[in-house]
């Protein structure tokens, strides 16, 4: 016999499932976003939300790549959404060997730890004793990307101007393995400020990081 009450059961179940999915997080993106909010010192505005920083982009372009006025373009250079950058963005510590990002709260070694394979890079960072701290590690890919100023024509020179001393033409290891490829890890190509993939058996530079002062 036809029962109209049953018609409400399936929609109710679907709505409950959708609400649960929206409230939760899953996979690498969710876990890394949560890690960024905590370890990088960027406060969450409320449960399930991340206060992302501004990208630093302050210019706008048209479809041909030519610079244009940003007003009303709705591009990132126009909106500039996110947590505003502090001034100064970076502070060198009293030893001159470490530098703190005042936006994320992360403390970085000013100088890289040399050209190494991925595993040797991990070992070097984990055993580092620098600036009175021993909890150094190799940064994950999102922590490396947090250093990128997207308005800079040359990200490496921008970092040098802000106190870092590592080689600006370098490629930096992250601790993040490539999904589906255990033999590869994500790297940051410093000059353009973009992520790439590299074989762990190959060589890149390591720039150690820790959670903060």
């Amino acid at each position: 016999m036809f029962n109209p009450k049953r018609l409400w059961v399936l929609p109710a179940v679907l709505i409950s499932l959708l609400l649960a999915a929206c409230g939760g997080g899953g996979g690498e993106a969710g876990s890394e976003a949560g890690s960024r909010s905590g370890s990088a010192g960027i406060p969450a505005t409320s449960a399930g939300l991340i206060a992302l920083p501004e990208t630093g982009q302050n210019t706008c372009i048209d479809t041909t790549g030519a610079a244009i006025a940003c007003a009303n373009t709705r591009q990132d250079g126009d909106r500039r959404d996110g947590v505003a950058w502090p001034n100064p963005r970076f502070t060198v510590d009293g030893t001159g060997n470490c530098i703190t990002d005042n936006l994320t709260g992360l403390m970085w070694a000013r100088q890289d730890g040399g050209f190494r394979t991925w595993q040797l890079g991990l070992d070097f960072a984990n055993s580092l004793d620098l600036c009175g701290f021993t909890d150094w590690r190799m940064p994950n890919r999102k922590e490396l990307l947090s250093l990128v100023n997207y308005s800079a024509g040359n990200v490496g020179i921008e970092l040098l101007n802000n106190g870092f001393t590592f080689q600006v033409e370098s490629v930096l290891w992250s601790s993040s393995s490539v999904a589906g490829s255990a033999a590869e890890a994500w790297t940051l190509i410093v000059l353009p400020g973009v992520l790439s993939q590299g074989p762990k058996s190959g060589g890149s530079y390591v720039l150690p990081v820790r959670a903060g002062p």
Side-chain angles (χ1 to χ4, degrees):
M1 180 181 293
F2 175 75
N3 185 349
K5 292 184 179 180
R6 293 182 179 177
L7 295 177
W8 294 98
V9 175
L10 184 56
V13 172
L14 289 175
I15 291 172
S16 297
L17 291 173
L18 288 171
L19 289 174
C22 291
E28 182 186 18
S31 61
E32 283 199 7
S35 173
R36 181 182 178 86
S37 176
S39 66
I42 301 175
T45 55
S46 62
L49 297 178
I50 305 298
L52 295 174
E54 293 179 354
T55 63
Q57 183 68 38
N58 54 23
T59 57
C60 300
I61 59 174
D62 62 17
T63 56
T64 68
I68 58 174
C70 282
N72 302 317
T73 62
R74 305 295 291 170
Q75 294 183 32
D76 198 29
D78 174 27
R79 295 177 56 90
R80 303 193 188 185
D81 291 333
V83 177
W85 290 11
N87 186 20
R89 168 77 190 267
F90 298 97
T91 302
V92 177
D93 82 328
T95 70
N97 296 316
C98 299
I99 184 168
T100 296
D101 185 341
N102 297 313
L103 174 63
T104 64
L106 293 171
M107 176 181 280
W108 298 84
R110 293 183 71 195
Q111 179 62 45
D112 64 72
F115 191 76
R116 303 169 183 270
T117 65
W118 185 78
Q119 185 59 55
L120 289 179
L122 284 176
D123 295 341
F124 170 81
N126 290 340
S127 63
L128 186 62
D129 185 347
L130 186 68
C131 301
F133 301 101
T134 58
D135 56 345
W136 296 92
R137 56 185 172 78
M138 200 149 74
N140 65 46
R141 59 177 181 165
K142 292 193 175 182
E143 288 169 330
L144 280 179
L145 271 180
S146 74
L147 294 174
V148 176
N149 180 347
Y150 288 91
S151 69
N154 185 312
V155 175
I157 296 299
E158 177 78 5
L159 290 172
L160 288 184
N161 290 338
N162 279 279
F164 285 90
T165 58
F166 65 89
Q167 297 192 40
V168 299
E169 296 181 355
S170 62
V171 177
L172 300 176
W173 280 125
S174 83
S175 61
S176 304
S177 296
V178 175
S181 181
E184 293 183 300
W186 289 100
T187 62
L188 178 70
I189 305 175
V190 178
L191 287 183
V194 297
L195 288 177
S196 184
Q197 299 172 206
K200 293 179 178 178
S201 59
S204 289
Y205 289 85
V206 55
L207 189 68
V209 70
R210 57 179 300 276

